[in-house]
Each structure stands twice: as structure tokens, then as C-alpha cells.
Amino acid sequence: MTDEPAEVLVITGEFTELARVRRWARQMLADLDEDTLIDALAVVDELTSNALRHAEAPFRISLRRAPGTLRVEVADGSTEHAAPRTPGQDGGRGLLLVNAYTRGWGQEVHPDGKIVWAELDLAGASPEAGQTAANASTSG
């Protein structure tokens, strides 16, 4: 799916950027039905929060669509693998939530950082979302 056109947002390492990320993602995904939108925003929020909490700049959030699929990618400047932690008072639920909301998640580690990604099923999303996904794969 990496050849698909993407909407991309670059952010600083400040936690205050989460509000901007949420607004941007809501705008980019406005055509999704409410339930799918809520799940997608939760995934964007969790992956971005994890990157800000456990990695280093630069940070880049990408939303890629293909027919029936939304791929959320968060790139950061750390080569340390993202891994679920045992939930506790200080967190550890982020990747467990991502796993619950998506059909799967993973990561690609490169010499200068990593991309943590998650894919959501858009098959049950609104007809407009499916049309947008199909159009996104042919426009650039």
C-alpha cells in the first residue's frame, strides 16, 4: 500500500500538537461514517501519542487509502521497536487499543527511524468513503 497517495502532516515533538493532529485527521476523514471515524481518530491519536512519548523527532503522520482500507502511519526518528507493554498506571494500553480497532498493525524500521502503521477496514464505512478511497488511488 506504500505506493498509494497519502495525506501527510509533519509535527514537532510537543504534546500540544495532538490537538492539531486530531483536527487534521478529522478533516481528512470527514467522509467516514461516525463509528469508523471514531475508531480511526483513536488509532491516529494512540500511534501519535506513542511516538511523542517514546520516540524522537522528526514526526510525520500519514493517512493512506485504498479500496476498503485506511492505513494510518506515524513515522519517527527512533529505531527502537514499538511493542505492547503491560498496562499499568502510567499507560501501556495504546497498542492494545490499536490492535482492537484495526485489522492489524506493524512497523518498518529504517536506519533513520521507523514507521508504525495500522490498517482499518473501511468495508462497512459510508458509500462516500469507498468512493473517496477509489478516487484517491487514481489521483495524485
Side-chain angles (χ1 to χ4, degrees), residues 5-122:
E7 298 293 339
V8 178
L9 179 66
V10 177
I11 63 170
T12 68
E14 300 296 321
F15 275 95
T16 56
E17 289 275 71
L18 284 173
R20 184 165 75 103
V21 171
R22 290 180 193 116
R23 282 191 307 272
W24 170 80
R26 181 175 287 279
Q27 180 182 359
M28 296 296 105
L29 303 173
D31 60 317
L32 298 179
D33 66 73
E34 189 66 18
D35 289 341
T36 304
L37 177 63
I38 289 168
D39 290 353
L41 293 175
V43 170
V44 168
D45 190 68
E46 289 298 335
L47 292 182
T48 303
S49 296
N50 283 351
L52 291 173
R53 192 170 280 115
H54 302 292
E56 56 195 46
F59 299 101
R60 186 184 76 246
I61 297 92
S62 302
L63 302 174
R64 298 179 184 276
R65 294 194 196 203
T69 303
L70 170 67
R71 183 173 171 127
V72 177
E73 299 177 350
V74 177
D76 64 55
S78 172
T79 57
E80 185 175 331
H81 287 264
R85 298 184 302 137
T86 302
Q89 289 183 327
D90 64 339
R93 292 169 185 80
L95 291 176
L96 296 174
L97 290 171
V98 168
N99 194 53
Y101 287 127
T102 65
R103 64 168 76 150
W105 70 274
Q107 57 198 303
E108 303 164 15
V109 178
H110 305 279
D112 59 346
K114 70 178 169 299
I115 299 170
V116 180
W117 56 266
E119 291 184 351
L120 288 94
D121 187 2
L122 296 183

